[in-house]
Amino acid sequence: MNRAHSCRRPRWCLHPGDRLNRLRFPALSSLHPECEIVFQLEKEERSCLRHITEQSNSSTEGCRPFWDAVACWPQAAVGETVQRSCPDFFSFFRNNTGSVSRNCTREGWSGPFPPYHIACSVDDDIPETQRSYFATVKLIYTVGYSISLVVLAVAVMILLLFRRLRCARNFIHIQLFVTFILKAAAVFIKDATLFSSDDTNHCTLSTFACKASVVFCHYCVMSNFFWLLVEALYLNSLLLSSFYHSPRCLWGFCLLGWGVPVFFTILWIGSRMYFEDTECWDINEDSPYWWIIKGPIVVSIAVNFILFMNIIRILIQKLNPRLIHFNNSSQYRRLTKSTLLLVPLFGTHYMVFNFLPDHFNVNLRLCVELCVGSFQGLLVAILYCFLNQEVQKEVHKQWLRWQERSYAVVSPAAKCSQMDTPF
């Protein structure tokens, strides 16, 4: 560990939420523990530089004092061996009392022996396998969000352009698609703002742009979970009753999907501004205010899972041949097919880690929440737009009309209708 920035959080330690491989230490103040290390290093560096300035007029013989980015070395005579104890910040990693030495030679200071990471029992860097794993995770979720964003945008355009597809069900689908689009965009914006450079110091980065990107990302993620909840509530209402969903009901869904996340996001912004205005608001470990964002998401996932189990229970009852009326069987079977295709995408897979600590099995959590989650929007768009029979029928009909107008071609359906007519 021979560089000052070795204690800086690596670039590939990304967000889904900001838990890629961070070390967990007991907090010493309002700062994140990793930032405590960085600031302690900076404090010792300033102290060393002051000492060097004070010694600038002293004898020039021997080796001059210097700061090696980890420890401060005093002036020494040629042939002298200087020993320094492991810096205090190494106590964050291991409780040890090791030491490092340097020889003063005619050519100057020798290298440290043993190296810091050996003498102070600290790994010099994150293993290459782990570095490769995080790079792979970033590549997968970047590809997943990119494809999902394009496909979702096309799905929204289709549902908006065709008037016959405008109904309460598709209205809710459109809102869900939009949240997936916003979530993907928020991830890209956050990556570009916070992780654009390896030299970014996340302990001192505290700009309006970075905080705004974090706030926008939290809002988009929360609104996505709440619109998944709206989808579950809507499907439950369809199974329990066949009442007409009035505009007032749809406004209620909009208030739940868009309004509730706004309330909790504003509440979290206020708490961070007045009680924990540190760094870029992207470090939330050991912060009680993080539950203002995480709490509603955890609750929505739990409620979605309960609704999922309720849907399964209702469908089992509805599909019992002895309880089904023949005039309703096809309706229930069609609804069963569509429901079972969507409900697993309601965030049910998030239940695996919903009530576990953030640091529990980080690698598996990343695979589920980032890699699988990045393709969630793509699957929803395919299942509830492109594979929907009503959508396919309407697109096919418009395609035939366009061919007739452009090339004066009579569709096969039109030819059959002309042959069937007695006139």
Side-chain angles (χ1 to χ4, degrees):
M1 190 162 185
N2 54 7
R3 300 183 303 275
H5 60 267
S6 297
C7 295
R8 190 182 68 233
R9 182 175 56 181
R11 176 179 182 265
W12 33 265
C13 286
L14 303 170
H15 49 80
D18 296 320
R19 301 188 292 270
L20 284 189
N21 193 35
R22 293 177 177 171
L23 302 173
R24 297 179 64 84
F25 308 111
L28 300 179
S29 68
S30 60
L31 296 174
H32 190 272
E34 292 181 23
C35 293
E36 287 284 351
I37 299 174
V38 175
F39 289 136
Q40 185 172 348
L41 264 177
E42 293 177 350
K43 180 180 178 181
E44 293 179 2
E45 181 182 8
R46 289 192 297 268
S47 176
C48 181
L49 294 178
R50 283 196 301 267
H51 174 72
I52 293 174
T53 303
E54 294 172 357
Q55 299 292 324
S56 60
N57 296 327
S58 60
S59 175
T60 58
E61 297 180 358
C63 298
R64 302 284 297 171
F66 82 108
W67 168 258
D68 68 351
V70 177
C72 189
W73 296 88
Q75 185 167 337
V78 176
E80 182 180 358
T81 299
V82 178
Q83 188 178 58
R84 306 293 288 175
S85 299
C86 288
D88 294 337
F89 70 83
F90 280 120
S91 61
F92 283 96
F93 301 91
R94 298 281 179 84
N95 186 13
N96 64 79
T97 56
S99 60
V100 180
S101 301
R102 286 181 186 267
N103 288 329
C104 179
T105 66
R106 294 185 181 278
E107 289 76 22
W109 287 104
S110 68
F113 61 90
Y116 284 107
H117 67 279
I118 295 177
C120 303
S121 303
V122 177
D123 293 335
D124 185 35
D125 204 353
I126 295 179
E128 185 63 29
T129 55
Q130 206 166 13
R131 184 192 300 271
S132 176
Y133 175 77
F134 289 131
T136 303
V137 169
K138 185 177 188 298
L139 176 63
I140 292 175
Y141 81 69
T142 300
V143 172
Y145 280 126
S146 300
I147 297 175
S148 297
L149 194 151
V150 174
V151 174
L152 285 163
V154 175
V156 171
M157 290 178 60
I158 291 175
L159 295 180
L160 288 176
L161 288 176
F162 299 117
R163 183 173 300 179
R164 292 187 179 182
L165 297 178
R166 298 174 187 176
C167 59
R169 182 186 69 255
N170 287 336
F171 172 82
I172 295 175
H173 290 343
I174 290 173
Q175 309 305 310
L176 180 62
F177 294 170
V178 170
T179 63
F180 277 116
I181 293 174
L182 292 176
K183 181 181 176 181
V187 169
F188 293 140
I189 292 173
K190 187 177 179 182
D191 278 358
T193 305
L194 272 69
F195 308 105
S196 58
S197 173
D198 287 338
D199 298 326
T200 302
N201 187 342
H202 291 268
C203 295
T204 57
L205 181 65
S206 183
T207 63
F208 174 80
C210 76
K211 292 179 179 179
S213 67
V214 172
V215 170
F216 180 64
C217 186
H218 288 333
Y219 173 75
C220 293
V221 171
M222 186 182 292
S223 62
N224 179 249
F225 277 105
F226 272 84
W227 274 105
L228 290 173
L229 176 61
V230 170
E231 286 277 7
L233 291 171
Y234 180 76
L235 285 175
N236 268 266
S237 67
L238 289 180
L239 288 170
L240 293 173
S241 62
S242 58
F243 68 91
Y244 171 74
H245 290 82
S246 63
R248 182 177 300 179
C249 182
L250 294 180
W251 277 110
F253 284 148
C254 288
L255 182 62
L256 176 61
W258 297 116
V260 173
V262 168
F263 171 77
F264 285 107
T265 302
I266 293 176
L267 191 62
W268 180 75
I269 293 173
S271 64
R272 290 301 300 253
M273 288 181 62
Y274 289 101
F275 302 108
E276 203 175 44
D277 190 9
T278 58
E279 297 94 36
C280 199
W281 297 359
D282 62 321
I283 301 177
N284 299 295
E285 292 176 318
D286 302 317
S287 172
Y289 307 106
W290 174 235
W291 281 96
I292 298 176
I293 297 292
K294 183 179 178 180
I297 293 177
V298 170
V299 172
S300 69
I301 294 174
V303 173
N304 259 345
F305 184 75
I306 294 173
L307 293 174
F308 168 75
M309 299 305 296
N310 186 54
I311 288 175
I312 298 299
R313 180 188 63 82
I314 296 174
L315 291 176
I316 292 175
Q317 294 179 350
K318 297 288 188 179
L319 293 177
N320 187 337
R322 291 175 297 178
L323 300 178
I324 293 180
H325 299 291
F326 288 102
N327 58 340
N328 291 329
S329 60
S330 60
Q331 175 186 355
Y332 286 128
R333 291 183 188 280
R334 187 174 70 253
L335 190 57
T336 299
K337 181 180 177 181
S338 60
T339 302
L340 292 180
L341 287 173
L342 181 61
V343 170
L345 303 178
F346 278 178
T348 308
H349 57 281
Y350 291 113
M351 277 295 297
V352 178
F353 298 102
N354 198 36
F355 300 103
L356 296 176
D358 289 344
H359 61 276
F360 179 83
N361 205 332
V362 176
N363 289 348
L364 181 59
R365 178 188 291 269
L366 290 176
C367 183
V368 173
E369 294 187 357
L370 286 179
C371 298
V372 176
S374 64
F375 289 95
Q376 186 179 1
L378 172 65
L379 293 176
V380 170
I382 292 174
L383 293 174
Y384 274 77
C385 181
F386 299 106
L387 295 183
N388 185 282
Q389 292 184 357
E390 294 180 4
V391 174
Q392 292 178 351
K393 183 178 180 180
E394 189 64 24
V395 171
H396 180 67
K397 186 183 300 183
Q398 293 298 327
W399 170 255
L400 293 178
R401 290 178 180 175
W402 178 80
Q403 284 186 321
E404 291 176 7
R405 290 195 301 265
S406 301
Y407 304 104
V409 176
V410 180
S411 66
K415 290 181 178 179
C416 292
S417 63
Q418 290 177 1
M419 292 174 62
D420 293 339
T421 177
F423 302 100

